Amino acid sequence: MVSPDTRLDVRAAALYVALVVLLWSAGWSISGELALSSPVPRSVTLALLLVAATATLWRKRHPGLVLTITGLGSAAAMVLPSGLGAVFLQFEAVFTAVLFGSRVLARFTTGLCIAVTATVGILALMIPHNNASVWFALVLQTAVVLLIPPLWAWEVRHHRQARTEAENAARTQKELTAREHDLAQARAALAVQEHRRRLAQDLHDGVAGHLSAVALQTAALRTEGMRNAPEATRYSVLESIRTASVDALTEMRTLIDVLRDQAPANLHLDPQRATEDLEARLRASFPQASVTVENGAVELLSQASPEAADTVIRVAQETVTNILKHAGPGTVAFRLAVTGEDVALTAVSPMDSQMGDSSTVGPEPAELTSGVGLRSMAMRTQDLGGSFHASPAEDGRRWMVKAHWPVAVLQASTTSGQSGRVPEPPDPQSAPTVHPARRRPLDHSSAG
């Protein structure tokens, strides 16, 4: 398929051929005006001009070829019996080489035109002649033919280059805008995904934990040992079930409000009430459990940002839920305290070797286990700049959970506002020293 540029070159070449023939037919020639005799017939001159005009077919594709064939052919025709067609072709040869040629060819052509014009001017001054006006016209014509085309072509070339650069800049800006739009969409999708992940974690660590406690404690009420237990013990379990159900319903309603855009995107918990609920849930299933929650830790969580406090509490909730699901008979220990420069959460529970056995009282583990609890705890802890570890103890009979958060991070989060971003912890040497407060007295009335 012929390109538009090629069609334009064909039209230009045809126009030059017609112009050359028309001007040649007029019979006027430069050599005749200079009174220069030439033994070459005019038909040879016409042939030279036709070849030079035909070479303009490659003006855009091969400008160097046009400069050579058209330039030399028209220059030779000027000193032979020819018409003004040679002048137009010479103009086109120089203009094409500068405009469409490489920068090297354009510079070479410009230098050559200046050199030829200067040479003709010097010769006009040095060679004696009788008709000064004619020689002056020749020098002037040479200057017009050889100097105006490169100047004009350079101007057009610069304008084309500027337009190309502007188009490239506009195209780049358009691509940049499109990429920024795609990036904004990706960020929005990532924000939605992160929001869903947070809601899923809150649903798992909060609502699922409460419902798991309800299921386990309800199953415990069906055992023979609970039937023979004191009335106060059974009442304590029933009260724990009621409290867990109400708490699960409250969190579920809050989640529904969040999804309806009727509440803030984050569920903020009260550290004091949340830790008391954790203690009650543990003691309902393990009356002799060792539960230690220091006032210093609760006060620090109360002063921290809601996001940071929620992270610690959610990890503690999931830890208690796992104890209720998987702990075997024996002593359970839970501790949340400030130790040195860290807020430490430690839980130790006996491992149930019969877990999954059909003789075990209560629901099967698969009914209450989603498989994301440990991953959720580890992710939450690491998001707040802490460390998390959960594994069997060295004796292989106990399960241990340890989570640590730098005090400096929780203290710094108080100045982060509601942005949800936890700042980098300050230098420990500049952070104020936090002394662990006395342990909060525990209410043992629920032990039965």
Side-chain angles (χ1 to χ4, degrees):
M1 183 177 181
V2 181
S3 64
D5 289 342
T6 301
R7 288 197 293 268
L8 289 176
D9 290 344
V10 171
R11 293 174 184 174
L15 179 62
Y16 277 122
V17 169
L19 182 63
V20 162
V21 173
L22 179 63
L23 294 177
W24 179 84
S25 302
W28 182 88
S29 66
I30 299 175
S31 60
E33 291 295 331
L34 296 176
L36 299 176
S37 60
S38 174
V40 179
R42 295 185 70 244
S43 58
V44 175
T45 304
L46 179 61
L48 280 175
L49 292 175
L50 291 177
V51 172
T54 304
T56 57
L57 283 170
W58 296 275
R59 55 197 294 268
K60 291 183 179 180
R61 290 169 291 173
H62 303 287
L65 181 65
V66 174
L67 177 65
T68 302
I69 298 178
T70 304
L72 294 179
S74 59
M78 284 183 182
V79 297
L80 298 176
S82 64
L84 288 175
V87 177
F88 288 107
L89 291 176
Q90 185 67 34
F91 190 102
E92 176 63 30
V94 175
F95 185 84
T96 296
V98 175
L99 179 59
F100 300 113
S102 63
R103 185 168 292 272
V104 175
L105 178 61
R107 290 176 177 175
F108 170 78
T109 304
T110 303
L112 181 63
C113 290
I114 294 174
V116 171
T117 302
T119 303
V120 172
I122 293 173
L123 291 177
L125 294 175
M126 295 179 61
I127 298 177
H129 49 79
N130 297 325
N131 196 341
S133 61
V134 173
W135 278 98
F136 175 77
L138 176 63
V139 174
L140 180 61
Q141 179 176 303
T142 303
V144 170
V145 172
L146 296 182
L147 294 183
I148 291 180
L151 293 177
W152 185 11
W154 275 114
E155 185 67 18
V156 175
R157 186 185 182 107
H158 290 157
H159 279 290
R160 283 190 174 186
Q161 184 177 359
R163 184 178 63 184
T164 302
E165 292 177 354
E167 291 175 352
N168 292 337
R171 188 182 304 108
T172 302
Q173 182 63 32
K174 184 177 180 180
E175 293 176 355
L176 181 60
T177 302
R179 290 181 181 179
E180 289 178 350
H181 178 69
D182 294 341
L183 182 59
Q185 289 184 332
R187 287 176 176 172
L190 184 61
V192 171
Q193 183 179 0
E194 177 66 16
H195 181 59
R196 290 177 177 175
R197 183 180 71 86
R198 289 290 183 181
L199 289 177
Q201 285 183 330
D202 290 339
L203 182 64
H204 176 271
D205 297 344
V207 178
H210 292 307
L211 295 180
S212 297
V214 170
L216 290 167
Q217 291 167 359
T218 303
L221 288 175
R222 297 183 299 174
T223 63
E224 187 67 26
M226 187 59 68
R227 292 194 187 99
N228 299 328
E231 185 68 23
T233 301
R234 293 198 301 273
Y235 177 80
S236 174
V237 174
L238 290 173
E239 181 64 20
S240 178
I241 292 174
R242 189 195 71 83
T243 302
S245 302
V246 172
D247 291 341
L249 183 60
T250 301
E251 292 206 25
M252 180 63 72
R253 286 174 176 171
T254 307
L255 280 170
I256 292 174
D257 289 340
V258 169
L259 295 176
R260 290 176 177 173
D261 293 331
Q262 296 178 359
N266 295 312
L267 306 178
H268 301 319
L269 305 173
D270 179 21
Q272 182 70 32
R273 185 175 182 275
T275 52
E276 291 176 354
D277 290 344
L278 291 178
E279 177 186 338
R281 288 170 57 188
L282 268 177
R283 290 202 178 280
S285 297
F286 300 93
Q288 304 303 321
S290 173
V291 183
T292 303
V293 179
E294 292 188 354
N295 281 340
V298 177
E299 292 174 359
L300 183 60
L301 293 178
S302 299
Q303 296 172 2
S305 69
E307 291 80 6
D310 288 350
T311 297
V312 178
I313 294 172
R314 291 298 188 186
V315 174
Q317 285 180 338
E318 182 61 19
T319 301
V320 171
T321 299
N322 286 343
I323 292 175
L324 297 179
K325 290 180 183 178
H326 307 302
T331 303
V332 173
F334 178 89
R335 186 171 185 265
L336 180 63
V338 179
T339 59
E341 298 296 332
D342 292 333
V343 174
L345 173 84
T346 307
V348 181
S349 59
M351 298 178 63
D352 189 357
S353 60
Q354 296 181 346
M355 183 63 68
D357 195 307
S358 59
S359 63
T360 303
V361 177
E364 292 293 328
E367 297 179 21
L368 299 177
T369 304
S370 63
V372 299
L374 294 178
R375 293 196 300 271
S376 176
M377 288 190 287
M379 185 180 299
R380 285 184 182 272
T381 304
Q382 293 170 1
D383 287 347
L384 195 58
S387 60
F388 179 83
H389 179 74
S391 66
E394 295 181 357
D395 56 13
R397 299 179 180 179
R398 296 176 300 165
W399 181 262
M400 300 186 65
V401 175
K402 295 181 180 180
H404 295 267
W405 295 271
V407 171
V409 172
L410 296 177
Q411 289 177 332
S413 67
T414 60
T415 61
S416 63
Q418 301 300 323
S419 63
R421 179 181 180 273
V422 179
E424 293 294 333
D427 187 357
Q429 296 179 354
S430 61
T433 303
V434 178
H435 299 284
R438 62 179 180 84
R439 295 182 179 179
R440 176 166 55 89
L442 300 180
D443 182 8
H444 297 282
S445 60
S446 62

